[in-house]
Amino acid sequence: KQWYQRRVREELRYGKSHMYLHKVFAPHIVCYLELEEETLKEDLDEALERETWLHCSEDFSCSAVQQVVASVKNIQKLVAELRWPDRTFAEHLSCRTQN
């Protein structure tokens, strides 16, 4: 029974409906990641200009860096939760959010 369930999942994963969803949504996800990258860069630049560089945590990082790290972690979580059916594209998304 487990073998059959795995087979059905694999067939669904690469079925017409999943491939259609990939075709439709993949460009939107890439665009979203590009917008997030640009926004993070702009936010970091602006925040660093205003930064007081006072001690704000145990690791002595500035608040701007902490905000960017939190945003990156949220994006990484989103990409992980997508569970994208195309392994190559999923790896691309994962690598993109790791760098």
Side-chain angles (χ1 to χ4, degrees):
K1 188 173 181 174
Q2 289 177 348
W3 174 83
Y4 176 74
Q5 289 173 340
R6 275 195 306 260
R7 184 174 154 222
V8 168
R9 280 194 301 254
E10 285 296 315
E11 287 176 5
L12 288 175
R13 175 180 277 178
Y14 298 106
K16 288 182 181 181
S17 61
H18 272 138
M19 297 316 289
Y20 173 76
L21 291 174
H22 173 76
K23 182 179 177 182
V24 170
F25 288 105
H28 296 289
I29 292 171
V30 170
C31 182
Y32 173 77
L33 289 178
E34 288 172 353
L35 288 172
E36 284 296 320
E37 287 173 357
E38 188 62 33
T39 301
L40 285 173
K41 287 176 189 175
E42 291 172 4
D43 289 349
L44 184 59
D45 287 342
E46 290 174 11
L48 289 175
E49 288 175 6
R50 294 187 314 260
E51 185 59 54
T52 61
W53 300 101
L54 297 175
H55 173 74
C56 60
S57 71
E58 292 178 9
D59 62 359
F60 294 98
S61 62
C62 65
S63 61
V65 172
Q66 289 178 339
Q67 291 170 350
V68 169
V69 168
S71 296
V72 169
K73 286 182 180 180
N74 288 335
I75 293 169
Q76 290 171 338
K77 182 180 176 187
L78 170 74
V79 168
E81 289 176 352
L82 282 175
R83 297 182 186 167
W84 201 259
D86 178 3
R87 288 185 184 132
T88 305
F89 189 66
E91 288 173 9
H92 167 74
L93 293 176
S94 181
C95 288
R96 187 170 184 164
T97 59
Q98 298 299 321
N99 295 328

